[in-house]
Amino acid sequence: MKKKLLVLTGGGDCPGLNAVIRGIAKAARTNGNWEVWGSIEAFNGIMKDDPEIIKLTRRYTAGIHVKGGTIIGTTNKGNPLDYPTQLPDGTWTTIDRTDELISKIKANGFDAVVNIGGDGSQKISQALFEKGLSIVGVPKTIDNDLSATDVTFGFSTAVQIATESFDRLVTTAESHHRTLIMEVMGRDAGWIALHTAIAGGAEICLIPEIPFKIDAVLKRIKSRYKGGKGFVNIVIAEGAKPIDGKVIGEQSNDLGDTHVKLGGIGNYLRAQLEMRDCPAQVRTTILGHTQRGGTPVAFDRILATAMGVKAFELAKDGAFGKMVSFRNNQVTSVPIAEAVAKYHVVNKDHYLIDTARQLDISFGDK
Ligand code: F6P
């Protein structure tokens, strides 16, 4: 009898998820001794009384590596450690359903699980592993903020989308002599903003790791308008904040979704500049989820596929509690515990910070 592998995608989606799923399914078919199933919307599918799971046959996985999103769906409201549950009096609370989840996975005959997800999802993987579940993690995030891997798939696609948008903003900024602010994703890490600033040729780049001073931003803008008509393009990460201010966002109202919805720092900056003697008209563009949707670029397809194949290999070899990782140009693995211990953020001594400063890109700190 064939062994059974359960695959799921959790948290926010990311270009390349389908390429991972296909990589796992194809490697399993090549191996011949395993069948691969997908749990619909993270662990929610397998937790249902009548489990919502699909067998990932060729029919489902053929050609999906070029497709954005995830064919098995995802959610950020299905944390089995903190599962939203309604009490008899109608009020809601959250409960730990991990024991029940592990029993369900075993009762359905699964020998191993591959959890494809970001920091939050891998923390869940680690908790389940510690409770005895045979689980392997695959890192995913456009923000590139996971430790223990040099890069995550989805990041290159997000940078490509942001850079293409930035290029378009440059020509309109130049025509109108405007200062245009483009807000990109990046909660705790400014990787997307930093890469886009260099690829696109920004004048100012504002990231969560370097709190900015409005006056320093204004100084750089003024320097561009000195002696005539200039233009300025700014890229700002959603998690960036002024030195004496805070991150802008709102608490999600969705039960079970604990994360703060970031967004709005670009408009905040515009308003602050307009209140001062900014020499130009200022406009803000928020790229938002366009950075997460659509087809992955070739690099992300390749990385995601290789990570999928590696995840199958780890599951087949019984290397549980491990997360697939890309390090020094090799697809390898690390303990999940190591991967979730801290965020991978932009260090002030990273070579791209120096590159940017040499290009006279201001981080708004001086
Ligand atoms: O973590 C990836 C990410 O894209 C962040 O950059 C962003 O803040 C967040 O997801 C948005 O999540 P959601 O779509 O759940 O609001």
Side-chain angles (χ1 to χ4, degrees), residues 143-360:
D143 290 5
N144 199 31
D145 59 359
L146 262 168
S147 290
T149 185
D150 291 348
V151 69
T152 49
F153 62 83
F155 171 64
S156 291
T157 305
V159 170
Q160 188 65 31
I161 293 164
T163 302
E164 284 167 15
S165 305
F166 190 86
D167 292 346
R168 291 173 190 279
L169 291 171
V170 169
T171 60
T172 169
E174 188 171 11
S175 305
H176 283 264
H177 308 294
R178 279 176 167 161
T179 287
L180 295 186
I181 302 168
M182 185 176 90
E183 183 179 311
V184 296
M185 282 188 168
R187 296 182 80 77
D188 303 287
W191 295 113
I192 297 175
L194 178 60
H195 281 243
T196 304
I198 292 173
E203 280 72 42
I204 300 167
C205 173
L206 304 173
I207 60 176
E209 295 86 341
I210 307 179
F212 62 89
K213 297 178 202 146
I214 311 271
D215 287 342
V217 173
L218 190 57
K219 193 172 117 199
R220 180 74 181 101
I221 293 172
K222 283 182 175 170
S223 75
R224 289 275 298 175
Y225 287 88
K226 213 165 35 188
K229 293 173 171 175
F231 67 98
V232 170
N233 286 90
I234 302 176
V235 57
I236 185 167
E238 61 182 358
K241 56 177 181 310
I243 211 152
D244 48 1
K246 52 183 177 38
V247 167
I248 294 186
E250 52 185 272
Q251 192 62 50
S252 171
N253 289 326
D254 292 343
L255 197 75
D257 178 5
T258 50
H259 82 287
V260 174
K261 284 185 280 180
L262 296 189
I265 187 67
N267 280 324
Y268 171 85
L269 177 61
R270 177 181 53 74
Q272 290 297 316
L273 292 171
E274 283 171 353
M275 277 194 275
R276 293 167 167 80
D277 56 338
C278 183
Q281 283 185 319
V282 187
R283 299 284 189 271
T284 300
T285 303
I286 303 176
L287 292 194
H289 291 77
T290 57
Q291 295 157 94
R292 260 176 35 186
T295 188
V297 296
F299 176 82
D300 283 338
R301 292 181 198 183
I302 297 162
L303 180 60
T305 302
M307 284 188 159
V309 169
K310 182 71 179 179
F312 171 71
E313 217 173 272
L314 293 174
K316 168 177 72 67
D317 295 344
F320 301 118
K322 294 285 178 69
M323 186 190 83
V324 178
S325 145
F326 184 71
R327 269 182 165 172
N328 305 322
N329 234 14
Q330 294 288 332
V331 173
T332 176
S333 68
V334 292
I336 298 172
E338 188 186 314
V340 297
K342 62 176 168 56
Y343 280 118
H344 169 229
V345 295
V346 181
N347 281 326
K348 290 194 182 108
D349 56 3
H350 189 272
Y351 76 95
L352 285 181
I353 294 283
D354 182 52
T355 303
R357 290 207 195 271
Q358 297 298 324
L359 295 174
D360 202 14

Side-chain angles (χ1 to χ4, degrees), residues 22 36 62 72 78 82 105 109 115 125 131 136 140 154 159 166 213 216 229 250 300 312 319 329 332 361:
R22 174 174 167 273
V36 180
I72 50 178
D82 249 334
I105 291 170
N115 188 9
S125 299
K131 285 199 155 196
V136 164
K140 149 290 13 169
V159 170
F166 190 86
K213 297 178 202 146
K229 293 173 171 175
E250 52 185 272
D300 283 338
F312 171 71
N329 234 14
T332 176
I361 297 174

